[in-house]
Amino acid sequence: MGVRLRAVRRVFENDVVAIDGIDLDVAPGEFAAILGPSGCGKSTLLRLIAGLDRPQGGTIEIDSSLSAVPRGREYEGRADIAYVFQDAHLLPWRTVLHNVALPLELMHATQSHRMLAARQAIEQVGLAEAVDRYPNQLSGGQRMRVSLARAMVTDPKLLLLDEPFAALDEITRQKLDEQLRQLWLDRGMTVLFVTHSTQEAVFLAQRAAVMTRRPGKIIHDARIDLPIDRPALIRATPAFAREMHAIYQSLEKGGA
């Protein structure tokens, strides 16, 4: 599922222009990272793409046929889009299994289908032993894994993530980055990932878009020149450092 944005503009009620003139093309199956200074409109942009908010100007198109020359219908809300927030937002009275099954329950799927799909998604994020635990019995990293499994349970074609691992320690964050990248490789979905971390962006993504300070505009949009196979140790290579430096320079130019 591809994404096409043209001249997208969002102004808040207090006349603050959050983003202005955003153009962005993401091809089906692509993994793109979005970076920028705090308050530049990264999360706003993701919410607009998800259909959780509406722009005052421009167009947002989402379609499985979008390619190098994008085309498609205007976005009107899609069931095959999943969103992972900065906080896990788990229901404390539900077990891991029933938290993950919730989207399918809201879609009125049968109980047998819900439970099977939820168990499979939980296994994919490495939490099979925790299906009967409650959120207060989990670590921060485990809660984010549950949130990721809940997003994956509907088999989305477009996955949107808003700094989901930002509050975690570095080791846990790197492990979840590796797990997320493997899920993307296995499933072939389109991914847009908002992050403040240049290291995270370079490890995860095929390309990186950098936004300026408010009103947010895209100042840098380039492919990450690394192989598709990225073992953990690639973070220590000169090529990895070179890609991080290019993004960092764009962040400085954009006012970070």
Side-chain angles (χ1 to χ4, degrees), residues 94 101-109 114:
R94 281 184 173 242
L102 180 59
L104 294 175
E105 183 178 331
L106 296 175
M107 293 167 64
H108 306 292
R114 296 198 305 263

Side-chain angles (χ1 to χ4, degrees), residues 43-54:
S43 296
T44 298
L45 183 61
L46 215 62
R47 289 176 61 84
L48 290 170
I49 294 170
L52 301 175
D53 195 2
R54 294 288 176 181

Side-chain angles (χ1 to χ4, degrees), residues 207-223:
R207 58 187 280 217
V210 177
M211 295 175 64
T212 65
R213 283 196 178 279
R214 185 184 295 165
K217 302 175 183 292
I218 292 179
I219 195 175
H220 169 98
D221 185 1
R223 296 197 65 79

Side-chain angles (χ1 to χ4, degrees), residues 114-190:
R114 296 198 305 263
M115 296 300 102
L116 177 60
R119 287 183 184 276
Q120 289 174 340
I122 292 166
E123 286 178 9
Q124 279 197 304
V125 299
L127 279 180
E129 78 288 351
V131 290
D132 294 323
R133 296 181 193 169
Y134 289 87
N136 65 359
Q137 298 174 307
L138 305 174
S139 68
Q142 288 174 323
R143 286 194 290 272
M144 288 313 305
R145 289 183 190 214
V146 176
S147 181
L148 184 57
R150 184 176 57 190
M152 301 301 298
V153 77
T154 59
D155 194 22
K157 302 300 182 290
L158 173 61
L159 179 63
L160 307 172
L161 303 105
D162 188 3
E163 297 188 76
F165 311 142
L168 304 177
D169 66 87
E170 191 65 21
I171 298 299
T172 302
R173 184 171 182 163
Q174 288 186 8
K175 289 180 178 177
L176 286 175
D177 284 343
E178 291 161 17
Q179 198 163 42
L180 173 60
R181 197 163 202 282
Q182 191 58 53
L183 283 171
W184 168 67
L185 289 171
D186 291 343
R187 296 204 177 197
M189 61 204 164
T190 308

Side-chain angles (χ1 to χ4, degrees), residues 11-32:
V11 183
F12 294 136
E13 292 180 359
N14 56 2
D15 294 327
V16 171
V17 182
I19 57 175
D20 191 20
I22 293 285
D23 293 334
L24 182 67
D25 292 292
V26 182
E30 190 170 34
F31 197 128

